[in-house]
Amino acid sequence: MGEILALVEARLLTALGEPDARAAVTFLGTDRIEVLRFVDGDVVRYATLGMSAQPMADPTAVLADPVKGPRAELILSVRAGLADTDKVLRPLAVLAASPQVEGLVVAPGASLDVGGPLWPGAPFSSVLVAEPGGLVEDLELDGPAPHSGSAGGGGREAAGPRDPVRFLPLLPMTHNEAAWKRVRGAQELQERWLSHGTDLRDPLRGSVPLD
């Protein structure tokens, strides 16, 4: 687990530079989740570190595979200095811990709700999970080490490589946008944002017209 997180952190630093702050949150019964903050001009990015330590498991599976399965970290980008967005650290950690706590498999197109404003006064309480690859490239992982055999037998090779770690952008949604997305789907909402030139990094923006 530690080896994977070291590789994940190195990939984040390569893509985003040195973080200027970091915080750690631990929830009962889960591994520690860190949130790193990166400043890039007038944009501040928050990236989780710890979600990818374990693969996400299908909640309908009888037994979770400890090696195979999708892995991800979350990235949120907002314009700096317009709101107290540093308060998003705990909601982000909650979302990053949700695969361990709730058995969720977080994937592009999904909606994630934190049950309250992402930061004080935010018009958003949920996010849309976007496609990865644009900001931080997927991190390919080598296969796990072979299982050691008994004293009298040979080693047993673990089956197959691990899934790559995907760095999933989060796009804040207003209440109306989240409701519209549930009916019309993620692609139509993203097309609506695009057609209206919506600045998805604006922490104070209003809902896109949905008529």
Side-chain angles (χ1 to χ4, degrees), residues 160-176:
R162 297 182 175 101
D163 286 27
V165 177
R166 308 174 82 193
F167 299 87
L168 302 172
L170 301 180
L171 307 176
M173 293 187 292
T174 67
H175 176 75
N176 288 341

Side-chain angles (χ1 to χ4, degrees), residues 174-193:
T174 67
H175 176 75
N176 288 341
E177 290 169 343
W180 200 80
K181 182 262 178 185
R182 283 194 293 271
V183 175
R184 305 291 289 270
Q187 183 173 346
E188 287 205 28
L189 177 58
Q190 289 179 291
E191 289 174 355
R192 181 61 61 106
W193 281 335

Side-chain angles (χ1 to χ4, degrees), residues 55-75:
M56 292 181 279
D58 184 339
T60 63
V62 177
L63 289 174
D65 191 314
V67 174
K68 301 198 74 175
R71 297 174 189 260
E73 298 289 355
L74 308 175
I75 300 178

Side-chain angles (χ1 to χ4, degrees), residues 24-104:
V25 181
T26 303
F27 303 100
L28 184 64
T30 69
D31 297 323
R32 186 176 74 163
I33 302 291
E34 285 192 274
V35 180
L36 281 57
R37 186 181 71 186
F38 302 86
V39 176
D40 180 13
D42 67 342
V43 174
V44 59
R45 307 187 197 280
Y46 303 94
T48 64
L49 178 62
M51 180 178 175
S52 60
Q54 306 290 342
M56 292 181 279
D58 184 339
T60 63
V62 177
L63 289 174
D65 191 314
V67 174
K68 301 198 74 175
R71 297 174 189 260
E73 298 289 355
L74 308 175
I75 300 178
L76 174 69
S77 300
V78 293
R79 300 217 172 273
L82 301 178
D84 188 11
T85 56
D86 281 352
K87 293 295 196 302
V88 80
L89 297 180
R90 186 171 181 83
L92 269 185
V94 169
L95 296 180
S98 61
Q100 293 185 61
V101 175
E102 303 175 42
L104 294 179

Side-chain angles (χ1 to χ4, degrees), residues 71-150:
R71 297 174 189 260
E73 298 289 355
L74 308 175
I75 300 178
L76 174 69
S77 300
V78 293
R79 300 217 172 273
L82 301 178
D84 188 11
T85 56
D86 281 352
K87 293 295 196 302
V88 80
L89 297 180
R90 186 171 181 83
L92 269 185
V94 169
L95 296 180
S98 61
Q100 293 185 61
V101 175
E102 303 175 42
L104 294 179
V105 176
V106 178
S111 301
L112 302 176
D113 196 304
V114 300
L118 288 176
W119 51 82
F124 322 104
S125 62
S126 62
V127 293
L128 174 65
V129 183
E131 291 288 340
L135 189 61
V136 183
E137 292 184 3
D138 292 355
L139 173 65
E140 300 292 337
L141 298 175
D142 294 333
H147 295 290
S148 57
S150 63

